[in-house]
Amino acid sequence: MARNIQSLERAAAMLRLLAGGERRLGLSDIASSLGLAKGTAHGILRTLQQEGFVEQDDVSGRYQLGAELLRLGTTYLDVHELRARALVWTDDLARSSGESVHLGVLHQQGVLIVHHVFRPDDSRQVLEIGAMQPLHSTALGKVLSAYDPVAHSEALEADRKPFTDRTVCDLEDFEEILDITRARGYAADVEETWEGVASIAAPIHDRRRMPVGAVDITGAVERLCRDGELRPELIAAVRDCARAVSRDLGAGRF
């Protein structure tokens, strides 16, 4: 059996202690409650403080939970609420379009797939939950870059490498695509990331009207396109799905 790391156990106990109280705690209180020497407790608190998990009041010197820990907790809840609200709508989208559906969120200069509905046929498919997609070439990434200022900054800073001869890497051209995306309310990827594959994505907003993710359909170019253009009924279906999820998250009508 693997041994637990004592310093991590103590840090976790410290965070639970701070989370359970209604007031800030001093060093002596924390050390006494956890049975630690003051020097040991102070060293752990200092590390947690440097990482933003704990904050120290400038006047009293007492400690409380930090903003970074609260942010991580909020992110966890937001992603799981997004996925829960999207389940029915993404199932309906896969059924009506006949294509696979992905739900993506911004994560570490890319798009993290948090939900994937298989194409409703008998073909062999691979579950893509947990996979990462680039911001600059995928439909999901372009939508997030167009509507989320943080995603936009990360897309500009990232290495926009070409995946096919259709990938747009030039900064000015990429910014023009984002302008078009905002104007029409959806983004497209026609063989920009994978040869023979196209996708259409639309943004999802929360009750604060903030972009929290995006939904797409992905499939073979010959199925998503007709006469060289994306099929308008598929564009409408993706946008309708995104609006429905947004409404369920409290965003109201767009």
Side-chain angles (χ1 to χ4, degrees), residues 17 54 67 76-77 99 103 109 111 179 205 207 230 232:
L17 179 65
V54 164
Y76 174 85
L77 292 174
E99 303 295 344
L103 193 65
Q109 294 191 325
V111 183
D179 288 339
H205 297 80
R207 61 184 63 86
L230 290 166

Side-chain angles (χ1 to χ4, degrees), residues 94-116:
R95 195 159 39 244
S96 65
S97 68
E99 303 295 344
S100 62
V101 176
H102 302 94
L103 193 65
V105 298
L106 176 66
H107 181 69
Q108 295 180 352
Q109 294 191 325
V111 183
L112 174 67
I113 303 302
V114 297
H115 184 54
H116 177 198

Side-chain angles (χ1 to χ4, degrees), residues 37-105:
K38 282 188 179 181
T40 301
H42 183 258
I44 296 172
L45 284 167
R46 185 172 56 200
T47 301
L48 292 173
Q49 187 178 358
Q50 289 171 350
E51 296 298 325
F53 296 143
V54 164
E55 295 175 356
Q56 186 178 26
D57 183 73
D58 292 335
V59 178
S60 68
R62 292 176 176 270
Y63 296 89
Q64 64 182 19
L65 291 180
E68 179 64 15
L69 188 65
L70 298 177
R71 185 190 69 80
L72 290 175
T74 301
T75 300
Y76 174 85
L77 292 174
D78 284 350
V79 169
H80 282 263
E81 182 183 7
L82 171 63
R83 185 175 180 275
R85 297 288 185 179
L87 288 177
V88 172
W89 300 111
T90 50
D91 282 349
D92 286 348
L93 179 59
R95 195 159 39 244
S96 65
S97 68
E99 303 295 344
S100 62
V101 176
H102 302 94
L103 193 65
V105 298

Side-chain angles (χ1 to χ4, degrees), residues 137 157 213:
S137 64
E157 295 170 2

Side-chain angles (χ1 to χ4, degrees), residues 158-196:
D159 178 20
R160 295 183 301 279
K161 65 179 182 179
F163 297 103
T164 73
D165 58 6
R166 292 172 175 261
T167 307
V168 175
C169 302
D170 177 76
L171 178 57
E172 187 173 336
D173 292 340
F174 180 65
E175 290 281 26
E176 184 177 347
I177 287 174
L178 298 188
D179 288 339
I180 294 171
T181 297
R182 284 185 286 266
R184 64 189 185 183
Y186 72 91
D189 166 11
V190 180
E191 297 189 284
E192 293 179 49
T193 311
W194 302 282
E195 296 283 355

